[in-house]
Amino acid sequence: SQTIHQWPATLVQPVGSPLSLECTVEGTSNPNLYWYRQAAGRGLQLLFYSVGIGQISSEVPQNLSASRPQDRQFILSSKKLLLSDSGFYLCAWSVTLYNEQFFGPGTRLTVL
Amino acid sequence: QKEVEQNSGPLSVPEGAIASLNCTYSDRGSQSFFWYRQYSGKSPELIMSIYSNGDKEDGRFTAQLNKASQYVSLLIRDSQPSDSATYLCALLLTGANNLFFGTGTRLTVIP
């Protein structure tokens, strides 16, 4: 069966510091991978998605970036965090872009 | 206009009752619809997928899709306190390559 991991689970970072969140998927090959952010009391906002190694599509302009160095690894990064980057970051995977998505446990980021 | 609309609630039902959650959407060409459950502080969990008009049942859950009226519903029979969560509606828009999510309806089942 497929499993999706995210770490760290929680993170508190000062404004202006860098960020690196990691997501890995087990039990499947060539998954589509997604990064979402869920701000407090708000819906899910798609940040990036990837259909393969090195292929990244960005949905919203921001100071975040994503990379996919391996088939089942997806990384979300920032060089300098903003207060507005606080939120619940969720990684998800799907078989194709047109199927249901399955979410990882998430990383709760607080920027102070 | 938002692609996906849900009543934010909260919706409160007594234990054992039927909870009815609704979602409307604006794109008539939407083809795939999903319901997720999200407990407080946790990530969304897929509970139902529906692709064609009509009802789809899975245990205590029934998803209903009406493309002509552009709504999708989730019924939870014999509601339990453990069903208390936020329920997210999601759909795949025509020509899009990712899901669009509603903001969710918070359900509370009262023992």
Side-chain angles (χ1 to χ4, degrees), chain A residues 39-62:
Chain A
R42 302 185 65 180
L44 288 165
Q45 179 187 32
L46 179 65
L47 303 174
F48 301 95
Y49 69 92
S50 171
V51 299
I53 296 174
Q55 301 179 64
I56 308 295
S57 296
S58 175
E59 288 298 300
V60 294
Q62 58 203 307

Side-chain angles (χ1 to χ4, degrees), chain B residues 32-90:
Chain B
S32 306
F33 304 84
F34 310 93
W35 282 101
Y36 288 82
R37 176 177 62 199
Q38 186 174 22
Y39 291 114
S40 180
K42 302 296 184 181
S43 62
E45 172 192 10
L46 179 71
I47 50 176
M48 292 286 284
S49 306
I50 187 165
Y51 303 97
S52 52
N53 277 328
D55 295 359
K56 179 181 178 182
E57 187 174 319
D58 184 0
R60 295 187 296 112
F61 298 98
T62 299
Q64 300 175 317
L65 175 60
N66 185 321
K67 291 187 177 182
S69 299
Q70 295 176 247
Y71 79 80
V72 56
S73 301
L74 180 70
L75 301 179
I76 306 175
R77 291 182 299 281
D78 188 23
S79 295
Q80 301 296 309
S82 59
D83 295 325
S84 298
T86 296
Y87 289 81
L88 304 173
C89 170

Side-chain angles (χ1 to χ4, degrees), chain A residues 34 36 38 41-44 46 49 59 88 90 97-106 108, chain B residues 32 34 36 38 40-46 49 51 88 92 96-103:
Chain A
Y34 310 83
Y36 289 88
Q38 188 174 39
R42 302 185 65 180
L44 288 165
L46 179 65
Y49 69 92
E59 288 298 300
F88 192 33
L90 292 156
L97 291 175
Y98 313 108
N99 291 114
E100 54 272 306
Q101 296 176 15
F102 301 94
F103 288 86
R108 192 161 302 280
Chain B
S32 306
F34 310 93
Y36 288 82
Q38 186 174 22
S40 180
K42 302 296 184 181
S43 62
E45 172 192 10
L46 179 71
S49 306
Y51 303 97
L88 304 173
L92 182 67
N97 44 23
N98 55 267
L99 297 183
F100 283 83
F101 285 83
T103 54

